[in-house]
Amino acid sequence: MYVNAVRVRIRSSWWHWPLLAGLWVMAWHARKTEGFRGALLQRAPGRVLWMLMLWERPSHAHAFRGGGWHRRAMPRLLRLFDEWAAVDWEHAEEGLPSWGEVHQRLKAKGRFLALAAPSEAHRARDIGARVPADKRDGGRVEGES
């Protein structure tokens, strides 16, 4: 299995609801992508969103990122966020990892994207100490069987 995890902070609360609508569209596209196994989206205080996706193989994740809505939205998204850290890894287990593991991996090996208006924390490569609650019943997008 292959995991892709992202932590972002929305620059302005004005963008919060339009962004969540866009994420719904992205989730719909992900479910239809070959190799998609599941995803979690978790909101955290301070306009922070944590996203976690599970794929059968890296090639499936790359196909999703490089096509459709995700590819068209990326240039706009770089202007909406002031923090963006991402990490990918091979995952031996079938299920999604815990948010604690995601946080540790982001701190150790996270990539910080070049943003239009990065925050001080983003410039310092700091994702903070807060980890979202592991509410596995909320925010889940199931893969198709």
Side-chain angles (χ1 to χ4, degrees), residues 1-64:
M1 292 290 147
Y2 184 74
V3 174
N4 172 248
V6 178
R7 180 202 176 270
V8 296
R9 191 175 95 112
I10 304 166
R11 283 177 54 192
S12 167
S13 56
W14 190 87
W15 292 109
H16 191 82
W17 294 111
L19 179 65
L20 287 179
L23 289 172
W24 182 87
V25 173
M26 185 177 72
W28 182 79
H29 282 277
R31 274 183 261 163
K32 298 194 174 306
T33 302
E34 180 184 357
F36 177 75
R37 285 287 163 243
L40 287 173
L41 173 67
Q42 192 76 27
R43 288 181 18 207
R47 301 184 316 271
V48 172
L49 295 172
W50 293 72
M51 294 168 274
L52 181 59
M53 299 183 92
L54 184 66
W55 302 90
E56 285 180 18
R57 291 191 294 277
S59 60
H60 295 134
H62 298 275
F64 170 71

